[in-house]
Amino acid sequence: MKEIKINSAFTQEMIVSKEQLASHVGSGVVDVFATPMMIAFMENTAVKCLEPFMEEGETTVGICMNSTHDAATPVGMKVTCTATITAVERKKISFSIVAKDEKDVIGKATHDRFLVIKEKFEAKAKQKAMN
């Protein structure tokens, strides 16, 4: 693992699609950006923030997400998400994440990820099915 720098940040944008609405994914019946889709976007932003620090065969897995979803976003609106590294404790990396649409802050989160060797991690998971 390369040295992970605290306060490193990554920002990405997306346009909310019909497939990401609560009414489509089953997390509600309203036609707004679904909470699980917002959380997945937050997690993906954290993953991308760490990409420059990963070495061959390394990846991270999410171990904790504490989030709020504070404002509704309609289909077709742009959402911007920024993940900032706030702490590194050995193989655990912590983030502060903020998601905004074109009008409001729509969500905030704290998120922890753990560095793993992809091949070993997947092999251990597959062992569960064999027992």
Side-chain angles (χ1 to χ4, degrees):
M1 169 173 70
K2 297 176 186 172
E3 181 184 354
I4 298 174
K5 295 181 174 42
I6 294 177
N7 294 322
S8 295
F10 181 80
T11 300
Q12 64 179 343
E13 298 176 345
M14 61 168 283
I15 303 296
V16 175
S17 69
K18 184 176 117 180
E19 293 76 24
Q20 295 166 318
L21 300 181
S23 58
H24 184 82
V25 302
S27 65
V29 296
V30 291
D31 290 333
V32 297
F33 192 35
T35 301
M37 301 308 291
M38 180 192 72
I39 291 170
F41 188 47
M42 289 173 155
E43 188 167 17
N44 178 261
T45 305
V47 168
K48 289 184 176 181
C49 184
L50 286 174
E51 284 179 356
F53 305 106
M54 296 296 104
E55 293 185 15
E56 184 76 26
E58 292 179 333
T59 190
T60 59
V61 293
I63 59 171
C64 182
M65 176 73 80
N66 184 357
S67 66
T68 63
H69 195 168
D70 304 312
T73 304
V75 69
M77 188 171 270
K78 180 171 61 176
V79 173
T80 303
C81 186
T82 300
T84 304
I85 298 170
T86 58
V88 178
E89 298 172 35
R90 297 183 49 188
K91 293 185 177 187
K92 183 176 106 176
I93 305 104
S94 299
F95 294 85
S96 174
I97 305 173
V98 177
K100 301 176 182 180
D101 65 20
E102 297 170 44
K103 302 286 184 186
D104 299 302
V105 170
I106 63 167
K108 295 179 183 176
T110 56
H111 178 47
D112 295 330
R113 300 191 67 75
F114 198 81
L115 179 81
V116 299
I117 303 301
K118 182 181 184 294
E119 190 174 298
K120 289 168 89 175
F121 185 83
E122 289 175 341
K124 185 176 177 182
K126 286 178 186 173
Q127 285 293 339
K128 290 173 102 175
M130 299 175 133
N131 294 334

